[in-house]
Amino acid sequence: MQASGAVVAVTNLEEFFRDALRNALAQHGTPVEEGAEHYVVDMLTLFARTERLHESAADGGHLKPLARMLAESLEAASALERERALKRLGDVSLFMAGFFARGLARSLVDVDYHVAMGGSAYQSLARSLERARRRGSAEVFDELAAKFGQLVDALAEIADAAYVYTQRDVLRLYEIWLKTGSERTRRLLRRLGIEPAPIALRAH
């Protein structure tokens, strides 16, 4: 891993992500329950291996569009298959929106689209698990859905730790602020010397 321009040796990836996530969430004032934290850390550790992130892609090199993942959840032949599809949609949306927001600027979909799709997927999964009387798991995904935007901000904080911003990046951050009102983006813009417009002004 890299931080502040220096390479940092990481002997345990799970511990690294747990510490980094806790620090980022604390910085944003977003507490999460142990179950939700454990789930996100496991997901990050898994997706750190590129082949696991792309495991459902036919050619192993490209992710399915989120809309296709959603369609697969709706077309699932069983409740278990539907839950797996919703989980995959939520996980990919969270990971991509958190770690690859700058790359999404070059695609046809944006961060807010990933937030909407991922949050809805986790919420639908929570309801499905609740109906199946799997209350513990349902509570985890319900929290992930409710705090999806804050979790995206936390993951982006981790990803941005070693990034040097260009003028184009600053403009991109301002676009994200206008679309999402992200508290993290507002603070980052201020650190970069930009004062975001008040929410009341952005509404017009």
Side-chain angles (χ1 to χ4, degrees):
M1 304 300 292
Q2 189 173 10
S4 303
V7 175
V8 179
V10 176
T11 58
N12 188 308
L13 198 57
E14 183 177 350
E15 289 183 3
F16 168 80
F17 281 129
R18 181 179 294 109
D19 292 343
L21 180 63
R22 286 177 178 174
N23 290 337
L25 289 172
Q27 182 175 344
H28 289 278
T30 306
V32 298
E33 296 296 329
E34 183 178 351
E37 177 192 281
H38 183 73
Y39 181 86
V40 174
V41 169
D42 279 354
M43 183 267 290
L44 295 178
T45 305
L46 181 70
F47 283 176
R49 298 175 57 185
T50 304
E51 67 273 15
R52 299 307 298 269
L53 175 63
H54 297 281
E55 64 183 355
S56 62
D59 61 1
H62 299 283
L63 286 169
K64 293 180 183 177
L66 300 187
R68 181 55 193 160
M69 294 185 194
L70 177 60
E72 288 178 351
S73 72
L74 297 174
E75 298 165 357
S78 67
L80 182 58
E81 288 182 9
R82 180 173 183 272
E83 289 170 4
R84 287 174 177 169
L86 288 171
K87 178 179 177 296
R88 173 73 179 177
L89 174 56
D91 291 352
V92 170
S93 297
L94 178 57
F95 187 80
M96 295 300 293
F99 280 94
F100 297 101
R102 286 182 293 275
L104 294 176
R106 298 186 294 274
S107 68
L108 296 178
V109 297
D110 211 336
V111 174
D112 52 338
Y113 176 75
H114 282 70
V115 170
M117 291 287 279
S120 295
Y122 280 156
Q123 187 61 64
S124 295
L125 179 54
R127 291 171 181 164
S128 177
L129 293 169
E130 182 71 25
R131 289 193 295 269
R133 300 183 183 277
R134 293 154 63 187
R135 187 175 300 275
S137 296
E139 290 176 351
V140 169
F141 287 103
D142 191 53
E143 182 176 16
L144 293 174
K147 298 177 179 178
F148 199 92
Q150 294 97 316
L151 287 167
V152 167
D153 280 352
L155 299 193
E157 198 77 47
I158 298 171
D160 285 342
Y163 191 79
V164 178
Y165 284 87
T166 65
Q167 289 184 338
R168 182 175 180 178
D169 292 326
V170 174
L171 290 175
R172 174 61 184 150
L173 283 170
Y174 201 84
E175 289 177 1
I176 293 174
W177 159 253
L178 293 174
K179 288 185 177 182
T180 68
S182 162
E183 179 63 20
R184 171 194 163 273
T185 304
R186 181 185 68 82
R187 290 200 300 267
L188 184 52
L189 283 168
R190 283 183 168 176
R191 289 204 301 267
L192 294 171
I194 304 296
E195 180 63 37
I199 293 178
L201 295 179
R202 294 192 300 110
H204 298 289

